[in-house]
Amino acid sequence: MSTIAWIALGSVAAWTWLLLGQGFFWRTDQRLPRRADPARWPSVAVVVPARDEADVLPLSLPSLLAQDYPGPLRIFLVDDGSTDGTGDLARVLAVRHGGPPLTVVSPDAPEPGWTGKLWALRHGIAEARARGAEEGPGDPEFLLLTDADIAHEPDSLRELVAAATANGLDLVSQMARLRVATAWERLVVPAFVYFFASLYPFRWVNRPGARTAAAAGGCVLLRTEAAGRARVPEAIRQAVIDDVSLARAVRRAGGRIWLGLAERVDSIRPYPRLADLWRMVARSAYAQLGHHPVLLAGTVAGLAVVYLAPPAAVCAGLFAGDVPAGALGAAAWAVMAGTYVPMLRYYRLSPWRALLLPFTASLYLCMTVDSALRHHRGRGAAWKGRTYPRPEVAPDR
């Protein structure tokens, strides 16, 4: 066989493993587990870190103020050095829409060794505990950590708490349904969730005692007691990929965690251009690899064999008469596309888009390489005017 045929055979083997041996990551059936209303609804503090979020806050914050939650509920929005009036807008929206009490917290700039979001969460949690001690009923029993660009259906919090209490879970996280309004969003966004699930198969995450741990930072319900045991956010203060680090810390401390796809939680942040999506991925892709050049090289090679070799082999079969390469490439491409269809259906997109996954993977490959280049140029994990260097000691190990 030709060299391209052997590579295509390797791709077929890889896709056979991914189809059957990687926790059925491609399925989209991990939704909130069976739940029943608790006899007593626990107290909840919602903590929203927000930095220059005036554009999305009018759509997201009212959804929190409208939560149909029967227990004690407070909302704490942490205005993390915004320059666009985020904090003032939050107060106006709270007066306009009513709902549970809202407190705006405005901490100083992050101390050295802290990422901005975790610094904001630290102050929001501290304020929630302080208010509970002053006004009752003490520390909130649960913390809902949610981003400023996340909109919740009115029963979202109720469903999250019911799932946690009925199943003895310390952390319940839902991967918000991201926006797919533009052509680039439809091409790139479902693949983002698909690739995340391939790295952290939800079934493995949800298995008690499993080594795999992950969460989706846009929507995390966390027991306050479990947060204390895991010493979060202090224990993960340097983490750029804070949601995965949070889940690992909670699991290491003996907590039970759960992660699945959302039905009632949506991200409203727009990514209309490829450049917007590129920045979103590139800011943390190299951090996901631990800033290790060897892992970067392995990832690039792996992506090439798994995602790019099948169409290349098909072209070799069609235009160079390499029948074995063409047949093997077509088989690998068919399995690849088949595993992507459930995610496209979840996003209500046409299944034919699955054939474009090799092209999308090539974009992610370039984004990952660009992420490494940015890091080595000193621009690392940059977000909203802040750049975070590689942690001296990995916080989640």
Side-chain angles (χ1 to χ4, degrees), residues 287-309:
Q288 184 73 59
L289 301 176
H291 303 97
H292 293 304
V294 174
L295 284 179
L296 173 66
T299 298
V300 169
L303 286 172
V305 170
V306 174
Y307 292 98
L308 307 187

PDB file of all heavy atoms in Angstrom, residues 287-309:
ATOM      1  N   ALA A 287      -2.976  26.658  26.643  1.00  0.00           N
ATOM      2  CA  ALA A 287      -3.079  26.350  28.071  1.00  0.00           C
ATOM      3  C   ALA A 287      -3.672  24.961  28.278  1.00  0.00           C
ATOM      4  O   ALA A 287      -3.308  24.246  29.218  1.00  0.00           O
ATOM      5  CB  ALA A 287      -3.934  27.407  28.779  1.00  0.00           C
ATOM      6  N   GLN A 288      -4.620  24.560  27.401  1.00  0.00           N
ATOM      7  CA  GLN A 288      -5.203  23.227  27.487  1.00  0.00           C
ATOM      8  C   GLN A 288      -4.124  22.153  27.337  1.00  0.00           C
ATOM      9  O   GLN A 288      -4.247  21.056  27.903  1.00  0.00           O
ATOM     10  CB  GLN A 288      -6.250  23.066  26.386  1.00  0.00           C
ATOM     11  CG  GLN A 288      -6.997  21.745  26.418  1.00  0.00           C
ATOM     12  CD  GLN A 288      -7.996  21.676  27.564  1.00  0.00           C
ATOM     13  OE1 GLN A 288      -8.896  22.501  27.650  1.00  0.00           O
ATOM     14  NE2 GLN A 288      -7.811  20.715  28.451  1.00  0.00           N
ATOM     15  N   LEU A 289      -3.056  22.471  26.626  1.00  0.00           N
ATOM     16  CA  LEU A 289      -1.948  21.528  26.423  1.00  0.00           C
ATOM     17  C   LEU A 289      -0.841  21.702  27.454  1.00  0.00           C
ATOM     18  O   LEU A 289       0.244  21.136  27.302  1.00  0.00           O
ATOM     19  CB  LEU A 289      -1.371  21.712  25.015  1.00  0.00           C
ATOM     20  CG  LEU A 289      -2.346  21.505  23.860  1.00  0.00           C
ATOM     21  CD1 LEU A 289      -1.678  21.816  22.530  1.00  0.00           C
ATOM     22  CD2 LEU A 289      -2.906  20.086  23.860  1.00  0.00           C
ATOM     23  N   GLY A 290      -1.123  22.484  28.506  1.00  0.00           N
ATOM     24  CA  GLY A 290      -0.129  22.693  29.548  1.00  0.00           C
ATOM     25  C   GLY A 290       1.076  23.487  29.108  1.00  0.00           C
ATOM     26  O   GLY A 290       2.131  23.437  29.746  1.00  0.00           O
ATOM     27  N   HIS A 291       0.964  24.218  27.993  1.00  0.00           N
ATOM     28  CA  HIS A 291       2.059  25.019  27.441  1.00  0.00           C
ATOM     29  C   HIS A 291       3.280  24.160  27.117  1.00  0.00           C
ATOM     30  O   HIS A 291       4.421  24.617  27.228  1.00  0.00           O
ATOM     31  CB  HIS A 291       2.465  26.151  28.401  1.00  0.00           C
ATOM     32  CG  HIS A 291       1.335  27.067  28.758  1.00  0.00           C
ATOM     33  ND1 HIS A 291       0.604  26.931  29.920  1.00  0.00           N
ATOM     34  CD2 HIS A 291       0.805  28.129  28.102  1.00  0.00           C
ATOM     35  CE1 HIS A 291      -0.317  27.873  29.973  1.00  0.00           C
ATOM     36  NE2 HIS A 291      -0.226  28.614  28.891  1.00  0.00           N
ATOM     37  N   HIS A 292       3.055  22.905  26.711  1.00  0.00           N
ATOM     38  CA  HIS A 292       4.152  21.986  26.397  1.00  0.00           C
ATOM     39  C   HIS A 292       4.303  21.853  24.883  1.00  0.00           C
ATOM     40  O   HIS A 292       3.377  21.385  24.202  1.00  0.00           O
ATOM     41  CB  HIS A 292       3.896  20.609  27.005  1.00  0.00           C
ATOM     42  CG  HIS A 292       3.926  20.604  28.502  1.00  0.00           C
ATOM     43  ND1 HIS A 292       5.005  21.055  29.226  1.00  0.00           N
ATOM     44  CD2 HIS A 292       3.005  20.192  29.417  1.00  0.00           C
ATOM     45  CE1 HIS A 292       4.754  20.929  30.512  1.00  0.00           C
ATOM     46  NE2 HIS A 292       3.546  20.417  30.658  1.00  0.00           N
ATOM     47  N   PRO A 293       5.457  22.226  24.323  1.00  0.00           N
ATOM     48  CA  PRO A 293       5.661  22.108  22.872  1.00  0.00           C
ATOM     49  C   PRO A 293       5.505  20.677  22.359  1.00  0.00           C
ATOM     50  O   PRO A 293       5.025  20.474  21.244  1.00  0.00           O
ATOM     51  CB  PRO A 293       7.095  22.627  22.674  1.00  0.00           C
ATOM     52  CG  PRO A 293       7.349  23.502  23.857  1.00  0.00           C
ATOM     53  CD  PRO A 293       6.595  22.890  24.995  1.00  0.00           C
ATOM     54  N   VAL A 294       5.916  19.702  23.160  1.00  0.00           N
ATOM     55  CA  VAL A 294       5.798  18.309  22.715  1.00  0.00           C
ATOM     56  C   VAL A 294       4.330  17.925  22.566  1.00  0.00           C
ATOM     57  O   VAL A 294       3.933  17.272  21.587  1.00  0.00           O
ATOM     58  CB  VAL A 294       6.516  17.362  23.697  1.00  0.00           C
ATOM     59  CG1 VAL A 294       6.268  15.900  23.310  1.00  0.00           C
ATOM     60  CG2 VAL A 294       8.015  17.654  23.713  1.00  0.00           C
ATOM     61  N   LEU A 295       3.507  18.330  23.532  1.00  0.00           N
ATOM     62  CA  LEU A 295       2.076  18.051  23.426  1.00  0.00           C
ATOM     63  C   LEU A 295       1.467  18.784  22.237  1.00  0.00           C
ATOM     64  O   LEU A 295       0.564  18.264  21.573  1.00  0.00           O
ATOM     65  CB  LEU A 295       1.360  18.446  24.716  1.00  0.00           C
ATOM     66  CG  LEU A 295       1.536  17.505  25.909  1.00  0.00           C
ATOM     67  CD1 LEU A 295       0.793  18.052  27.114  1.00  0.00           C
ATOM     68  CD2 LEU A 295       1.045  16.107  25.569  1.00  0.00           C
ATOM     69  N   LEU A 296       1.956  19.993  21.973  1.00  0.00           N
ATOM     70  CA  LEU A 296       1.472  20.738  20.807  1.00  0.00           C
ATOM     71  C   LEU A 296       1.782  19.974  19.526  1.00  0.00           C
ATOM     72  O   LEU A 296       0.900  19.815  18.662  1.00  0.00           O
ATOM     73  CB  LEU A 296       2.120  22.118  20.767  1.00  0.00           C
ATOM     74  CG  LEU A 296       1.835  22.950  19.522  1.00  0.00           C
ATOM     75  CD1 LEU A 296       0.362  23.322  19.441  1.00  0.00           C
ATOM     76  CD2 LEU A 296       2.712  24.207  19.495  1.00  0.00           C
ATOM     77  N   ALA A 297       3.024  19.493  19.399  1.00  0.00           N
ATOM     78  CA  ALA A 297       3.402  18.749  18.196  1.00  0.00           C
ATOM     79  C   ALA A 297       2.564  17.479  18.061  1.00  0.00           C
ATOM     80  O   ALA A 297       2.102  17.140  16.959  1.00  0.00           O
ATOM     81  CB  ALA A 297       4.890  18.397  18.253  1.00  0.00           C
ATOM     82  N   GLY A 298       2.336  16.783  19.168  1.00  0.00           N
ATOM     83  CA  GLY A 298       1.519  15.576  19.121  1.00  0.00           C
ATOM     84  C   GLY A 298       0.083  15.873  18.741  1.00  0.00           C
ATOM     85  O   GLY A 298      -0.545  15.105  17.999  1.00  0.00           O
ATOM     86  N   THR A 299      -0.444  16.991  19.258  1.00  0.00           N
ATOM     87  CA  THR A 299      -1.815  17.365  18.935  1.00  0.00           C
ATOM     88  C   THR A 299      -1.967  17.702  17.462  1.00  0.00           C
ATOM     89  O   THR A 299      -2.933  17.287  16.809  1.00  0.00           O
ATOM     90  CB  THR A 299      -2.243  18.575  19.795  1.00  0.00           C
ATOM     91  OG1 THR A 299      -2.194  18.197  21.180  1.00  0.00           O
ATOM     92  CG2 THR A 299      -3.643  19.030  19.438  1.00  0.00           C
ATOM     93  N   VAL A 300      -1.015  18.448  16.927  1.00  0.00           N
ATOM     94  CA  VAL A 300      -1.065  18.800  15.500  1.00  0.00           C
ATOM     95  C   VAL A 300      -1.005  17.538  14.645  1.00  0.00           C
ATOM     96  O   VAL A 300      -1.791  17.370  13.690  1.00  0.00           O
ATOM     97  CB  VAL A 300       0.084  19.764  15.144  1.00  0.00           C
ATOM     98  CG1 VAL A 300       0.201  19.933  13.631  1.00  0.00           C
ATOM     99  CG2 VAL A 300      -0.136  21.125  15.808  1.00  0.00           C
ATOM    100  N   ALA A 301      -0.101  16.634  14.990  1.00  0.00           N
ATOM    101  CA  ALA A 301       0.010  15.384  14.229  1.00  0.00           C
ATOM    102  C   ALA A 301      -1.262  14.558  14.358  1.00  0.00           C
ATOM    103  O   ALA A 301      -1.759  13.989  13.374  1.00  0.00           O
ATOM    104  CB  ALA A 301       1.220  14.585  14.714  1.00  0.00           C
ATOM    105  N   GLY A 302      -1.803  14.494  15.565  1.00  0.00           N
ATOM    106  CA  GLY A 302      -3.021  13.715  15.772  1.00  0.00           C
ATOM    107  C   GLY A 302      -4.203  14.275  15.003  1.00  0.00           C
ATOM    108  O   GLY A 302      -4.965  13.524  14.370  1.00  0.00           O
ATOM    109  N   LEU A 303      -4.374  15.601  15.034  1.00  0.00           N
ATOM    110  CA  LEU A 303      -5.465  16.223  14.282  1.00  0.00           C
ATOM    111  C   LEU A 303      -5.311  15.966  12.793  1.00  0.00           C
ATOM    112  O   LEU A 303      -6.298  15.719  12.082  1.00  0.00           O
ATOM    113  CB  LEU A 303      -5.504  17.722  14.558  1.00  0.00           C
ATOM    114  CG  LEU A 303      -6.039  18.173  15.918  1.00  0.00           C
ATOM    115  CD1 LEU A 303      -5.828  19.667  16.117  1.00  0.00           C
ATOM    116  CD2 LEU A 303      -7.521  17.835  16.056  1.00  0.00           C
ATOM    117  N   ALA A 304      -4.066  16.015  12.315  1.00  0.00           N
ATOM    118  CA  ALA A 304      -3.832  15.790  10.888  1.00  0.00           C
ATOM    119  C   ALA A 304      -4.220  14.374  10.485  1.00  0.00           C
ATOM    120  O   ALA A 304      -4.889  14.160   9.462  1.00  0.00           O
ATOM    121  CB  ALA A 304      -2.372  16.067  10.550  1.00  0.00           C
ATOM    122  N   VAL A 305      -3.813  13.390  11.291  1.00  0.00           N
ATOM    123  CA  VAL A 305      -4.111  11.995  10.953  1.00  0.00           C
ATOM    124  C   VAL A 305      -5.604  11.704  11.075  1.00  0.00           C
ATOM    125  O   VAL A 305      -6.207  11.046  10.217  1.00  0.00           O
ATOM    126  CB  VAL A 305      -3.291  11.039  11.847  1.00  0.00           C
ATOM    127  CG1 VAL A 305      -3.770   9.599  11.676  1.00  0.00           C
ATOM    128  CG2 VAL A 305      -1.813  11.146  11.521  1.00  0.00           C
ATOM    129  N   VAL A 306      -6.220  12.205  12.143  1.00  0.00           N
ATOM    130  CA  VAL A 306      -7.606  11.851  12.423  1.00  0.00           C
ATOM    131  C   VAL A 306      -8.585  12.608  11.529  1.00  0.00           C
ATOM    132  O   VAL A 306      -9.547  12.015  11.008  1.00  0.00           O
ATOM    133  CB  VAL A 306      -7.920  12.101  13.913  1.00  0.00           C
ATOM    134  CG1 VAL A 306      -9.402  11.885  14.198  1.00  0.00           C
ATOM    135  CG2 VAL A 306      -7.077  11.166  14.792  1.00  0.00           C
ATOM    136  N   TYR A 307      -8.359  13.903  11.334  1.00  0.00           N
ATOM    137  CA  TYR A 307      -9.350  14.730  10.637  1.00  0.00           C
ATOM    138  C   TYR A 307      -8.971  15.110   9.208  1.00  0.00           C
ATOM    139  O   TYR A 307      -9.862  15.261   8.358  1.00  0.00           O
ATOM    140  CB  TYR A 307      -9.616  16.013  11.436  1.00  0.00           C
ATOM    141  CG  TYR A 307     -10.330  15.770  12.736  1.00  0.00           C
ATOM    142  CD1 TYR A 307      -9.628  15.695  13.930  1.00  0.00           C
ATOM    143  CD2 TYR A 307     -11.710  15.596  12.777  1.00  0.00           C
ATOM    144  CE1 TYR A 307     -10.274  15.460  15.131  1.00  0.00           C
ATOM    145  CE2 TYR A 307     -12.368  15.359  13.974  1.00  0.00           C
ATOM    146  CZ  TYR A 307     -11.646  15.294  15.142  1.00  0.00           C
ATOM    147  OH  TYR A 307     -12.293  15.052  16.331  1.00  0.00           O
ATOM    148  N   LEU A 308      -7.689  15.286   8.937  1.00  0.00           N
ATOM    149  CA  LEU A 308      -7.288  15.779   7.617  1.00  0.00           C
ATOM    150  C   LEU A 308      -6.899  14.663   6.657  1.00  0.00           C
ATOM    151  O   LEU A 308      -7.060  14.809   5.439  1.00  0.00           O
ATOM    152  CB  LEU A 308      -6.120  16.768   7.760  1.00  0.00           C
ATOM    153  CG  LEU A 308      -6.336  17.938   8.739  1.00  0.00           C
ATOM    154  CD1 LEU A 308      -5.182  18.914   8.638  1.00  0.00           C
ATOM    155  CD2 LEU A 308      -7.659  18.639   8.482  1.00  0.00           C
ATOM    156  N   ALA A 309      -6.391  13.561   7.182  1.00  0.00           N
ATOM    157  CA  ALA A 309      -5.967  12.469   6.301  1.00  0.00           C
ATOM    158  C   ALA A 309      -7.120  11.856   5.508  1.00  0.00           C
ATOM    159  O   ALA A 309      -6.935  11.530   4.326  1.00  0.00           O
ATOM    160  CB  ALA A 309      -5.252  11.391   7.117  1.00  0.00           C
TER     161      ALA A 309
END
